[in-house]
């Protein structure tokens, strides 16, 4: 007889970045939650680059924070370097990136899980799901223990049937030589899930004491570090630099001479790798006209000498990796502590999911993170918090939360996955968001914190601060519409000093602020009486005034798209009987089962003519439904 290990509201399988956010969200919303992981010592471990954030990704971290998640608070407490990227560009592409102390980050996340009163962290290897009447009601571990729950979230990352490959060597393993999850992958196939085989990789790690930094370029953090989380009030002041060096002509000769030993080119690797994070051998072959490639040396923490060699991801044999490292300026005497490797793993084809991240095939079963075909800690965490929220809402009998593409990058990512699928590890890019001027780093709290508060993930005190900020912005915008700046000698002297033509007549402050060279601080200095506006509110005022025309255009686009999203498609609509639909459209619509006309219009292979036919068919009101 199986050991009954306990009954819960929600079970989370896996303790990576998706699993952490899923379990914390579920528990904080009042659902009794258990997190099952093969190794509790590896909670939140950064198996690849020890960093959080970057273009698009940093905005996701802010969105997770706005919803009440943990990632932003954890990195703010453990970073070794913080930098705002793209400061010379517009606000839509600015984003924070932090270099992490990977061990402190991991410890901080484990403590957050342990301190959550409604959450139990337990060591277990899940091998099967308990399915009753087409619904997932629990899991079974390799020891025969049964855990029962009303919802299960799988967040197994790259562990499912994981295989590490270094040169001619390959063996079953999770990342960093952890135990792989083999039987769960097989069980999902038995249940009828379609899996893909993907691949990712890591570079070697080297001993920092063996690096000659005099041959590299220092890459410091920002003088004034900004936080990811709106709850962070005190920042770490002592930052550690990263360093920049480059590959050489000899590096490329070494790679070319050993391509026959590369599993990427020998055919040993079958999985599809990430387009936006290619291996060094792939870069040398694909971009053979480039004389060199950037290599960033990134410390892995304050209390370790281990350095991550960013840009040198590889699965070449260990001896070749050793020679490649020593062909790079500054690394001539470097000692490799860990070799780079490629890892192949199974992923669920994400079109098998609803936008809630619940699977279509099995009710009550959710998946989040790299198991859904994404790459990156931030993408995983963004899915994790949404899966945790929706699993908890489901067991509580409440309506699900689906973020639209105009509400957040998290909404863009999930819609891309469940509507379009992915044939390679998916990475968020600013270019994927059609409303990116609305989805900025600086306004994530204004966009999503109200939702977080309604869910119970943002406390009343933080919500009250947000309301004050909104009021502050609104009052100042109204004031600037009324305040007149006169063409006085003092004002014109200030304008001339910054290279701006002097005023010939009085202007409203809001009109003057629209000029590219004028900042809010300058306007504040020219108006009476002076206004004590918070830095965050001042930033919002300046952006909203300067980009008002563009923002209004995007809001019009959103309104048009929302009308399409509000045209719901009946459940179980039988697409096969709709005359005029192209065969490919029928196949894709049956596969994705879109919830709205808007979602249907984004499916690859469904053309505008198909959408027109579908709209007419639904509006007639006499449509056929498939059998249950």
């Amino acid at each position: 007889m199986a050991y009954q290990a306990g009954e819960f509201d929600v079970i989370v399988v896996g303790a990576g970045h998706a699993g952490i956010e899923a379990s914390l969200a579920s528990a904080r919303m009042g659902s009794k939650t258990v997190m099952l992981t093969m190794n509790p010592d590896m909670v939140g471990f950064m198996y690849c680059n020890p960093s959080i954030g970057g273009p698009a990704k940093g905005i996701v971290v802010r969105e997770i924070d706005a919803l009440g998640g943990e990632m932003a608070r954890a990195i703010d407490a453990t970073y070794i370097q913080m930098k705002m990227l793209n400061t010379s560009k517009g606000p839509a592409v600015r984003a924070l990136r932090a270099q992490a102390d990977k061990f402190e980050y991991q410890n901080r996340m484990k403590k957050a899980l342990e301190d959550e009163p409604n959450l139990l962290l337990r060591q277990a290897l899940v091998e099967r799901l308990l399915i009753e009447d087409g619904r997932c009601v629990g899991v079974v571990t390799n020891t025969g223990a049964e855990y029962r729950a009303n919802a299960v979230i799988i967040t197994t990352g790259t562990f499912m049937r994981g295989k590490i490959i270094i040169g001619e060597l390959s063996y079953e393993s999770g990342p960093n030589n952890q135990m792989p999850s083999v039987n769960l992958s097989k069980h999902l196939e038995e249940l009828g899930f379609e899996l893909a085989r993907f691949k990712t990789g890591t570079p070697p790690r080297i001993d920092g004491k063996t690096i000659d930094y005099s041959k590299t370029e220092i890459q410091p953090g920002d003088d004034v570090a900004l936080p990811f989380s709106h709850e962070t009030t005190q920042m770490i002041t002592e930052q550690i630099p990263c360093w920049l060096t480059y590959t050489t002509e000899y590096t490329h000769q070494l790679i070319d001479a050993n391509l026959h030993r590369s599993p990427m080119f020998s055919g040993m690797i079958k999985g599809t790798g990430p387009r936006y994070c290619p291996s060094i051998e792939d870069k040398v072959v694909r971009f053979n006209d480039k004389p060199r490639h950037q290599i960033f040396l990134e410390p892995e923490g304050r209390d370790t000498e281990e350095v991550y060699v960013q840009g040198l991801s590889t699965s070449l044999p260990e001896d070749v990796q050793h020679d490649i490292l020593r062909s790079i300026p500054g690394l001539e005497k470097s000692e490799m502590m860990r070799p780079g490797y490629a890892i192949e793993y199974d992923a669920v084809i994400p079109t098998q999911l609803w936008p809630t991240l619940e699977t279509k095939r099995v009710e009550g079963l959710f998946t989040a993170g790299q198991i859904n075909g994404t790459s990156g800690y931030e993408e995983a965490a963004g899915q994790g918090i949404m899966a945790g929220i929706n699993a908890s809402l489901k067991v509580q009998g409440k309506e699900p939360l689906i973020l639209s593409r105009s509400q957040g990058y998290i909404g863009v990512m999930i819609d891309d996955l469940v509507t379009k699928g992915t044939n390679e590890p998916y990475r968020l890019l600013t270019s994927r968001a059609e409303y990116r001027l609305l989805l900025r780093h600086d306004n994530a709290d204004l966009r999503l914190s109200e939702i977080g508060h309604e869910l119970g993930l943002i406390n009343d005190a933080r919500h009250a601060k947000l309301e004050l900020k909104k009021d502050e912005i609104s009052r100042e915008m109204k004031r600037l519409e009324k305040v007149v700046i006169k063409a006085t000698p003092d004002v014109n002297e200030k304008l001339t000093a910054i290279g701006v033509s002097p005023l010939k007549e009085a202007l409203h402050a809001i009109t003057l602020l629209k000029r590219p060279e004028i900042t809010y601080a300058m306007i504040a200095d020219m108006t009476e009486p002076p206004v004590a506006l918070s830095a965050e509110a001042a930033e919002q005022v300046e952006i909203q005034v300067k980009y008002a025309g563009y923002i209004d255009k995007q809001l019009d686009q959103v309104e048009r798209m929302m009308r399409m999203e509000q045209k719901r498609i009946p459940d179980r609509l039988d697409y096969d009987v709709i005359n005029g639909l192209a065969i490919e459209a029928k196949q894709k619509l049956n596969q994705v089962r879109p919830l709205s006309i808007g979602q249907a219009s984004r499916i690859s292979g469904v053309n505008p003519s198909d959408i027109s036919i579908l709209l007419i068919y639904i509006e007639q009101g006499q449509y056929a439904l498939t059998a249950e």
Side-chain angles (χ1 to χ4, degrees):
M1 183 177 174
Y3 160 53
Q4 298 301 313
E7 294 192 4
F8 302 86
D9 294 317
V10 176
I11 296 169
V12 178
V13 181
H17 307 280
I20 287 169
E21 299 296 349
S23 11
L24 287 173
S26 169
R28 289 167 177 170
M29 288 173 64
S31 298
K32 185 183 177 185
T33 306
V34 63
M35 170 186 269
L36 304 178
T37 174
M38 288 186 282
N39 187 352
D41 294 331
M42 303 301 282
V43 163
F45 191 76
M46 295 181 179
Y47 290 104
C48 200
N49 193 350
S51 72
I52 295 288
K57 293 167 175 278
I59 301 174
V60 169
V61 180
R62 274 260 167 146
E63 292 178 353
I64 293 166
D65 179 66
L67 289 168
E70 197 66 29
M71 178 174 267
R73 288 184 291 224
I75 189 60
D76 283 351
T78 60
Y79 69 88
I80 60 175
Q81 185 189 105
M82 187 75 78
K83 186 177 287 190
M84 179 66 83
L85 305 181
N86 298 328
T87 52
S88 63
K89 299 180 181 178
V93 294
R94 291 174 199 156
L96 278 174
R97 182 184 185 274
Q99 201 65 29
D101 185 317
K102 66 188 289 183
F103 306 106
E104 282 300 311
Y105 183 91
Q106 175 189 356
N107 291 335
R108 169 72 166 64
M109 280 303 199
K110 185 165 186 277
K111 189 73 165 62
L113 295 170
E114 292 171 343
D115 288 348
E116 194 59 46
N118 212 23
L119 174 62
L120 175 65
L121 175 63
R122 189 170 285 183
Q123 183 168 348
L125 172 57
V126 173
E127 295 199 324
R128 288 190 300 112
L129 304 173
L130 290 171
I131 310 293
E132 294 177 2
D133 299 324
R135 182 183 175 88
C136 187
V137 296
V139 302
V140 182
T141 72
N142 64 334
T143 63
E146 287 188 2
Y147 291 81
R148 290 192 163 259
N150 296 313
V152 173
I153 308 172
I154 303 178
T155 66
T156 46
T158 60
F159 280 80
M160 289 212 309
R161 268 199 296 233
K163 181 167 77 170
I164 281 182
I165 304 167
I166 306 173
E168 297 88 356
L169 171 70
S170 70
Y171 55 93
E172 282 193 347
S173 175
N176 210 38
N177 287 328
Q178 295 292 300
M179 186 189 303
S181 172
V182 177
N183 291 335
L184 180 59
S185 193
K186 293 177 180 176
H187 181 58
L188 289 174
E189 284 184 322
E190 290 166 4
L191 291 172
F193 285 96
E194 187 181 353
L195 304 182
R197 194 72 173 161
F198 283 166
K199 174 228 115 177
T200 189
T202 69
R205 274 75 158 179
I206 58 178
D207 186 341
K209 298 192 304 295
T210 64
I211 298 172
D212 182 355
Y213 289 108
S214 68
K215 296 182 179 179
T216 67
E217 301 170 29
I218 192 168
Q219 303 289 301
D222 289 342
D223 292 337
V224 178
L226 298 174
F228 273 103
S229 175
H230 283 280
E231 292 193 4
T232 301
T233 56
Q234 191 168 352
M235 299 296 288
I236 297 166
T237 53
E238 185 188 346
Q239 298 192 53
I240 297 175
C242 297
W243 306 84
L244 173 64
T245 183
Y246 297 88
T247 58
T248 63
E249 185 180 349
Y250 182 46
T251 310
H252 298 190
Q253 290 171 1
L254 282 169
I255 291 168
D256 285 333
N258 286 281
L259 283 178
H260 64 287
R261 300 181 66 194
S262 165
M264 275 197 64
F265 293 91
S266 68
M268 180 182 286
I269 289 177
K270 306 295 183 187
T272 305
R275 177 192 306 259
Y276 301 102
C277 188
S279 66
I280 188 62
E281 50 266 44
D282 198 21
K283 283 192 278 191
V284 167
V285 170
R286 284 167 56 192
F287 308 108
N288 56 18
D289 57 319
K290 287 189 175 292
R292 64 181 190 172
H293 294 283
Q294 288 184 327
I295 302 294
F296 289 94
L297 306 176
E298 302 177 339
E300 297 222 315
R302 295 181 187 275
D303 298 317
T304 178
E305 292 295 338
E306 208 162 348
V307 173
Y308 183 93
V309 188
Q310 166 76 339
L312 206 69
S313 177
T314 183
S315 56
L316 283 162
E318 194 169 346
D319 60 299
V320 180
Q321 293 188 37
H322 177 83
D323 292 343
I324 288 172
L325 283 168
R326 294 199 163 187
S327 71
I328 295 170
L331 307 186
E332 293 90 347
K333 297 181 179 179
S334 64
E335 291 292 347
M336 185 164 60
M337 296 177 74
R338 304 176 203 240
Y341 61 85
I343 182 167
E344 287 189 333
Y345 57 96
D346 287 347
V348 170
I349 302 291
T351 50
Q352 298 169 103
L353 308 175
W354 297 113
T356 59
L357 298 180
E358 185 178 15
T359 67
K360 297 171 183 174
R361 186 170 292 276
V362 178
E363 187 182 355
L365 177 64
F366 296 75
T367 57
Q370 283 188 267
I371 188 177
N372 288 343
T374 56
S375 65
Y377 312 137
E378 304 84 357
E379 287 92 337
Q383 292 170 71
I385 195 168
M386 294 305 295
I389 287 168
N390 280 316
S392 187
L393 290 171
K394 186 175 183 71
V395 302
Q396 293 171 14
K398 297 176 181 176
E399 286 295 307
L401 173 65
I402 299 172
L403 294 181
S404 71
R405 298 180 70 90
S406 61
Q407 284 179 293
Y409 272 92
I410 294 174
V412 171
M413 168 178 60
I414 292 175
D415 184 68
D416 279 351
L417 292 170
V418 304
T419 304
K420 303 173 184 176
T422 183
N423 54 14
E424 62 186 48
Y426 175 99
R427 178 179 181 176
L428 262 174
L429 306 164
T430 52
S431 59
R432 294 193 191 275
E434 59 270 50
Y435 310 121
R436 56 185 172 273
L437 189 52
L438 304 180
L439 309 181
R440 304 185 307 274
H441 159 94
D442 59 83
N443 70 352
D445 59 331
L446 299 173
R447 290 185 276 119
L448 298 174
S449 286
E450 190 67 48
I451 296 171
H453 183 246
E454 289 172 3
L455 293 167
L457 296 174
I458 296 290
N459 63 33
D460 290 343
R462 179 169 168 184
H463 183 252
K465 283 179 65 178
L466 176 68
E467 290 302 306
L468 284 173
K469 176 179 169 180
K470 288 180 181 176
D471 185 54
E472 197 179 9
I473 295 165
S474 175
R475 278 189 287 106
E476 182 62 1
M477 292 285 282
K478 289 174 182 174
R479 188 184 80 91
L480 293 180
E481 288 175 356
K482 296 176 183 176
V483 168
V484 173
I485 296 180
K486 297 177 181 177
T488 64
D490 181 49
V491 165
N492 282 334
E493 186 181 336
K494 289 175 181 177
L495 293 175
T496 306
I498 59 169
V500 177
S501 300
L503 296 182
K504 294 180 180 177
E505 58 185 11
L507 286 179
H508 282 102
I510 202 162
T511 304
L512 186 58
L513 183 53
K514 289 179 181 179
R515 294 189 180 183
E517 309 88 348
I518 304 295
T519 66
Y520 173 79
M522 294 173 190
I523 294 291
D525 186 46
M526 295 176 191
T527 61
E528 292 290 343
V531 175
L533 207 62
S534 69
E536 284 193 356
E539 180 184 40
Q540 285 306 306
V541 168
E542 183 166 327
I543 290 172
Q544 289 182 30
V545 170
K546 286 190 179 299
Y547 295 90
Y550 301 103
I551 290 172
D552 287 344
K553 282 182 182 177
Q554 292 216 332
L555 288 172
D556 287 342
Q557 292 168 358
V558 169
E559 191 175 339
R560 286 197 296 272
M561 180 49 72
M562 286 307 294
R563 289 198 286 270
M564 297 281 279
E565 299 294 341
Q566 287 162 5
K567 293 184 186 295
R568 308 297 289 178
I569 296 176
D571 293 342
R572 303 178 8 252
L573 186 69
D574 190 349
Y575 296 101
D576 291 327
V577 303
I578 303 177
N579 292 327
L581 279 185
I583 292 173
E584 183 183 5
K586 289 180 180 180
Q587 291 171 343
K588 294 293 181 66
L589 289 164
N590 278 317
Q591 178 191 28
V592 175
R593 309 298 304 177
L595 300 178
S596 68
I597 292 294
Q599 187 185 0
S601 70
R602 294 189 293 275
I603 298 173
S604 174
V606 177
N607 296 316
S609 58
D610 298 312
I611 294 298
S612 298
I613 292 166
L614 186 57
L615 267 170
I616 293 167
Y617 183 76
I618 291 171
E619 286 169 359
Q620 286 174 344
Q622 296 179 335
Y623 36 75
L625 303 179
T626 60
E628 284 282 8

